[in-house]
Amino acid sequence: MNLQNHKSLKSETAMLALNGLGKTFVGSVQPVVQDVAFSVEPGEIFALIGPSGCGKSTTLRMIAGFETPDNGTIVLEGRDITKAEPERRNIGIVFQDYALFPHLTVLDNVAFAIRDTEKKMRRKKAIKYLDMVGLTGYGDRYPDQLSGGQQQRVALARTFAATPKLILLDEPFSNLDAALRHSTRREIRELLKANGVGAIFVTHDQEEALSFADRVAVMRRGKIEQVGAPEEVYAQPKSAFVARFLGRTNLVPGEAEGLEAITALGRVPLSEPAQGSVLLSMRPEHLVLENGPDSNAVIQARDFKGHDITYWVKVGSAEYQVDTEFLCPFRPGSKVRVVPRAPAVVVESDICAVDTDV
């Protein structure tokens, strides 16, 4: 079954279109990228997410021109750039380590990217780009005098200064601590949107992809498993892999009968009709705990987090995770019912085994 969302792959208005992109490295049997296809609209932020080795960074490098595809095409604004030199693609790149020149001031780092302009005007333009990223007055400093978040904004200002059609970001927030990562992520998203610049970024962090991107593509073993809006891919995963990679989930076997399935939790509603043996994805926050005469579950553990509580609940031989509000009163040892508050999603049909590769 082809798990790609073909509706998301082609668009008459696409700024960037990848079709059938593939790459196999010398000495390798398996291709690192296989038949990758997606499009990016003008001003859209598009995330490539997947585990290490899934091919997302190689895909980014092929778009940038640092790797040459074995097959497939890369089209930017109607121009085939598959074999174009990197400097002729008009694509900006923000590297994971920011790649700032340590011997140049912040202002000169940004001015370096401005071409076809005399030196005096380059510096004036560079000041405007520093203002744009909130670094007014930092032009005379050197990169090692800045925090990680400030260095990242300098790298972004330098990229904007080259007026690219598209910006590529490779694990852009991985070098920042958790608190700075959240604020910087928000600031950079606002900058991209305010300037109408499209971006593709690579990450293995599902929270980062879901909160930062307009659309996400989940990659696995060189292929794209699913493309869609963050809410769509999270709520309606097309496979067990996507369900698990984009957050915590309970994978529950059952027997589907139309819009319901018989499971260890009882009859549960389905998001789409199905028949026969199925594997269901049920997010922990889509389940609630209740008292009742037919309680068939026992709470094994409780993890209080302040704003919510995570429970591990045993039903028969299986254990399920349930995330509830902070006021939920149940304690380990309590007998409860696990009740779905949203329809379950079928991620496998006619199951005989569950693929555990994440």
Side-chain angles (χ1 to χ4, degrees):
M1 179 173 62
N2 191 337
L3 298 173
Q4 294 184 354
N5 182 344
H6 286 283
K7 204 171 183 180
S8 301
L9 299 182
K10 294 182 180 180
S11 169
E12 297 300 322
T13 62
M15 175 181 58
L16 179 79
L18 275 61
N19 293 288
L21 217 60
K23 178 71 177 179
T24 303
F25 290 122
V26 175
S28 177
V29 177
Q30 290 290 336
V32 68
V33 174
Q34 304 181 61
D35 196 28
V36 164
F38 62 80
S39 64
V40 180
E41 301 296 313
E44 182 180 31
I45 301 175
F46 189 92
L48 285 173
I49 182 170
S52 297
C54 72
K56 57 188 186 296
S57 289
T58 301
T59 300
L60 202 73
R61 289 177 61 80
M62 286 192 284
I63 297 170
F66 300 146
E67 297 285 354
T68 303
D70 296 331
N71 46 269
T73 59
I74 304 168
V75 178
L76 180 67
E77 292 190 322
R79 181 170 70 99
D80 189 331
I81 61 167
T82 311
K83 296 182 180 179
E85 296 295 321
E87 61 272 17
R88 296 183 179 275
R89 298 191 178 209
N90 200 13
I91 292 175
I93 304 164
V94 177
F95 294 99
Q96 186 174 350
D97 61 358
Y98 317 135
L100 300 175
F101 298 114
H103 63 288
L104 296 181
T105 64
V106 165
L107 186 64
D108 288 336
N109 262 281
V110 177
F112 181 83
I114 302 172
R115 302 296 182 185
D116 301 324
T117 306
E118 62 180 53
K119 186 175 181 180
K120 187 176 180 181
M121 287 304 299
R122 284 204 303 267
R123 291 176 67 83
K124 282 188 176 180
K125 287 185 177 181
I127 290 172
K128 291 182 180 179
Y129 285 110
L130 286 176
D131 292 344
M132 184 180 75
V133 298
L135 291 176
T136 302
Y138 284 76
D140 292 335
R141 300 191 188 185
Y142 287 86
D144 64 0
Q145 296 174 311
L146 303 180
S147 69
Q150 290 169 334
Q151 288 183 39
Q152 188 176 58
R153 280 187 279 167
V154 174
L156 194 63
R158 185 178 62 185
T159 303
F160 276 127
T163 62
K165 299 292 185 182
L166 178 73
I167 291 178
L168 308 180
L169 304 105
D170 189 1
E171 299 279 2
F173 311 109
S174 61
N175 290 336
L176 305 178
D177 62 53
L180 191 57
R181 191 156 56 239
H182 283 84
S183 60
T184 305
R185 191 164 65 205
R186 185 174 63 251
E187 290 168 0
I188 289 180
R189 178 177 169 81
E190 290 172 356
L191 279 168
L192 291 169
K193 288 300 180 183
N195 288 274
V197 178
I200 300 176
F201 81 104
V202 158
T203 182
H204 63 275
D205 185 317
Q206 55 92 6
E207 179 185 332
E208 192 167 279
L210 294 175
S211 64
F212 190 75
D214 298 313
R215 281 191 303 145
V216 299
V218 183
M219 290 192 71
R220 179 193 191 199
R221 297 174 180 169
K223 297 180 179 180
I224 291 180
E225 292 242 335
Q226 188 172 354
V227 178
E231 297 87 350
E232 171 196 340
V233 180
Y234 181 82
Q236 297 291 327
K238 299 297 184 185
S239 69
F241 172 80
V242 172
R244 285 179 296 187
F245 196 81
L246 281 186
R248 299 165 299 179
T249 196
N250 298 291
L251 296 177
V252 183
E255 287 293 322
E257 299 176 349
L259 283 171
E260 287 188 330
I262 301 169
T263 73
L265 303 179
R267 283 188 173 270
V268 301
L270 301 179
S271 60
E272 294 181 352
Q275 295 291 336
S277 298
V278 291
L279 187 68
L280 308 176
S281 171
M282 303 177 75
R283 299 287 186 193
E285 67 272 20
H286 294 169
L287 301 172
V288 295
L289 301 178
E290 295 181 356
N291 276 318
D294 56 346
S295 298
N296 65 341
V298 178
I299 295 175
Q300 302 296 299
R302 175 182 182 270
D303 189 357
F304 178 71
K305 302 173 183 176
H307 48 76
D308 60 23
I309 304 173
T310 293
Y311 289 94
W312 284 270
V313 183
K314 196 165 188 179
V315 182
S317 60
E319 190 171 77
Y320 302 95
Q321 181 177 336
V322 181
D323 290 344
T324 74
E325 63 167 359
F326 69 97
L327 292 174
C328 193
F330 299 114
R331 297 281 174 176
S334 299
K335 294 195 71 174
V336 294
R337 292 173 61 228
V338 180
V339 181
R341 56 189 296 193
V345 178
V346 176
V347 291
E348 300 285 351
S349 299
D350 301 319
I351 59 167
C352 56
V354 180
D355 187 348
T356 58
D357 176 28
V358 180

